[in-house]
Amino acid sequence: MTIKVIIHIGPPKTGTSAIQFSLQRDSKRLAENGIYYPKHTTDINGISSGNLNSIYENTSSGRVVSNAKVVTLLAECKKRGLHTLLLSSEFFFERVSDITEVLPDAHFIAYIRNPLDSFESLYNQSVKRHHKVNPIKALSKLPQLYLNKLDELVSKFGVGRFILRSYSNKAFVGGNIINDFYSILNIEPPIMGKANINTSYSFEALEFKRWINQFCSPSLALKADKILQNFKSTSNNFSLIEPDNYELYRVDAYNALEKFCSNYGVYGSESLLKEVSSTDQKDYREQNLDVPEFTKVAEYINNQAPEVYKSICYALYLSSYQPCFNDEYGQVFIRKYKLSEVSDKYMFKTKSLNFIKRLFGKAIEPEQLPINQSAPDDINRLRLKLGLAKSISDVDILKELAFIAETNKDIGLAYLFMKRAQRLRPNGPLINSKIKIYEREIDSSTVKRDDF
């Protein structure tokens, strides 16, 4: 029996997370209809790379398609008596050429979205998940991004290899992307409650996240992301593009889509083009929060997850040498806790939690720490660059760096160096004494503590 292979490639920002969530939960019923959808993992936000690891493996030269994994998948599909192998991952969008070498008869599902919406959505995603700190750029011409790449792929491999659908509520079969995707499979869609996967931020949440991206570790930012996704306001529907630019981008988007759809016959293209030309821009917001808006988000995080708030506060204190600490937002945020309330006491609580986990044989997860613990590599590089003898310990180097920072009035940076020295020499009297002095200086330099 020849196995039919269907591969969903996204592209990004076309509902892939929702599709994968649905397919994963519905795998048993898919199998009953002859379709094998391999299981995959998700993160704490329900986000997944889909079936990336089902056919790819990591090597010293990067990710490569694994012939062995592909053979195993096809064999498993046959063993179960199923006729179709279905895979989904946005990663595949950039690797279609690689995939066709091992699966030469595969067909690819791709959704076509308004490039203008993609442009804003990709920026928002870069703030949510990729630590973006800069405002959105005002460009002279709208980037076509995925549309140009998809045009290359269809031209190269032939339109017959692609199932092209419009990403538009007015074009979706059944009114939503899940129903539309299942119509491609010729299967009745599942009956399940609506799942909020990778939900969009409100404007306030987006700007708050952009601010903490300046100093939070990726693991801490991920925890904040989970909370911020649930923060609601009257600014859930917004646009960051200035209205005049928006109208110029609209023309660019329409022209590019019209050409692509005309060349390749995209399902539902008439509805998509009509939506692009007639939909009003969402309310424009300039990228700046006033203090009451910022405070409302901060209060929400503290109410929902006080430990996450403390972790952010601690990371901010460790960044007191940066502008984000002394700006209006930073001073508002640290009013809730003094440094001494979120440093040693908080670290003791974390260590206690980890000790309990060890008793039960559970591994300690790095993301439970409030900030990333730096590796000694940077100290080694400094040692080599300055030609320092091995007799000079890492602790001595860190102490000297702290003293230099202190002399230059960068108490936050001095504190950071001395805290790292403390991890290497926890009972050092000079180190512990200096840390207490730095904590008092940082606390006294901030505005008077006050509850929100």
Side-chain angles (χ1 to χ4, degrees), residues 7-12 14 56 88-97 99 108-112 144-154 157 162 164:
I7 301 178
H8 171 229
I9 60 175
T14 56
Y56 273 82
S88 173
S89 177
E90 291 179 351
F91 179 84
F92 297 156
F93 181 72
E94 299 290 345
R95 300 296 185 94
V96 170
S97 296
I99 295 171
F108 301 93
I109 299 175
Y111 278 88
I112 316 303
Q144 300 305 321
L145 303 169
Y146 302 122
L147 196 61
N148 286 341
K149 176 66 176 179
L150 194 54
D151 188 33
E152 292 176 11
L153 293 174
V154 179
F157 296 105
F162 289 83
L164 304 172

Side-chain angles (χ1 to χ4, degrees), residues 104-167:
D105 298 320
H107 286 75
F108 301 93
I109 299 175
Y111 278 88
I112 316 303
R113 186 176 184 179
N114 177 359
L116 179 47
D117 289 342
S118 294
F119 178 60
E120 285 208 78
S121 184
L122 284 167
Y123 171 79
N124 294 349
Q125 185 75 358
S126 71
V127 173
K128 285 178 66 176
R129 297 284 155 72
H130 304 297
H131 263 55
K132 184 83 170 179
V133 297
N134 295 325
I136 195 169
K137 291 182 178 179
L139 304 174
S140 59
K141 192 172 180 62
L142 177 68
Q144 300 305 321
L145 303 169
Y146 302 122
L147 196 61
N148 286 341
K149 176 66 176 179
L150 194 54
D151 188 33
E152 292 176 11
L153 293 174
V154 179
S155 298
K156 180 177 180 179
F157 296 105
V159 69
R161 298 285 297 275
F162 289 83
I163 302 167
L164 304 172
R165 311 283 290 197
S166 295
Y167 184 85

Side-chain angles (χ1 to χ4, degrees), residues 94-324:
E94 299 290 345
R95 300 296 185 94
V96 170
S97 296
D98 297 343
I99 295 171
T100 55
E101 291 182 10
V102 294
L103 292 167
D105 298 320
H107 286 75
F108 301 93
I109 299 175
Y111 278 88
I112 316 303
R113 186 176 184 179
N114 177 359
L116 179 47
D117 289 342
S118 294
F119 178 60
E120 285 208 78
S121 184
L122 284 167
Y123 171 79
N124 294 349
Q125 185 75 358
S126 71
V127 173
K128 285 178 66 176
R129 297 284 155 72
H130 304 297
H131 263 55
K132 184 83 170 179
V133 297
N134 295 325
I136 195 169
K137 291 182 178 179
L139 304 174
S140 59
K141 192 172 180 62
L142 177 68
Q144 300 305 321
L145 303 169
Y146 302 122
L147 196 61
N148 286 341
K149 176 66 176 179
L150 194 54
D151 188 33
E152 292 176 11
L153 293 174
V154 179
S155 298
K156 180 177 180 179
F157 296 105
V159 69
R161 298 285 297 275
F162 289 83
I163 302 167
L164 304 172
R165 311 283 290 197
S166 295
Y167 184 85
S168 166
N169 288 329
K170 294 180 180 178
F172 291 146
V173 172
N176 64 63
I177 195 166
I178 302 301
N179 291 348
D180 190 84
F181 192 88
Y182 271 79
S183 73
I184 300 172
L185 305 177
N186 200 26
I187 299 175
E188 283 293 316
I191 300 174
M192 58 177 68
K194 183 179 179 182
N196 293 319
I197 306 297
N198 199 19
T199 53
S200 298
Y201 280 171
S202 67
F203 172 74
E204 295 89 341
L206 184 75
E207 284 299 285
F208 184 91
K209 180 62 164 56
R210 189 166 71 89
W211 178 72
I212 68 170
N213 284 347
Q214 298 175 81
F215 58 89
C216 280
S217 68
S219 58
L220 178 54
L222 186 64
K223 291 180 179 180
D225 173 40
K226 180 68 174 179
I227 302 165
L228 291 171
Q229 286 189 64
N230 294 315
F231 178 83
K232 304 301 179 186
S233 77
T234 56
S235 299
N236 285 336
N237 293 311
F238 61 92
S239 173
L240 304 176
I241 301 174
E242 293 184 0
D244 288 346
N245 285 340
Y246 189 92
E247 291 308 316
L248 293 174
Y249 292 166
R250 186 202 297 272
V251 174
D252 291 340
Y254 186 91
N255 291 339
L257 280 173
E258 185 179 44
K259 181 180 178 181
F260 183 91
C261 294
S262 176
N263 288 340
Y264 303 120
V266 177
Y267 180 88
S269 60
E270 290 185 7
S271 297
L272 176 62
L273 289 168
K274 184 176 181 181
E275 184 178 277
V276 173
S277 64
S278 61
T279 301
D280 292 334
Q281 181 184 8
K282 297 173 183 176
D283 292 338
Y284 169 65
R285 290 295 304 265
E286 187 175 346
Q287 285 189 264
N288 184 44
L289 287 180
D290 59 35
V291 171
E293 289 175 319
F294 176 88
T295 303
K296 188 175 181 180
V297 182
E299 285 179 335
Y300 179 81
I301 292 178
N302 192 52
N303 291 334
Q304 295 296 312
E307 297 309 317
V308 173
Y309 187 103
K310 290 177 182 179
S311 294
I312 297 173
C313 198
Y314 184 49
L316 181 58
Y317 271 118
L318 294 184
S319 301
S320 60
Y321 55 93
Q322 295 187 30
C324 58

Side-chain angles (χ1 to χ4, degrees), residues 55-73:
I55 63 172
Y56 273 82
E57 62 183 356
N58 288 316
T59 69
S60 57
S61 57
R63 286 193 176 101
V64 296
V65 180
S66 168
N67 286 294
K69 286 187 174 184
V70 171
V71 169
T72 300
L73 279 180

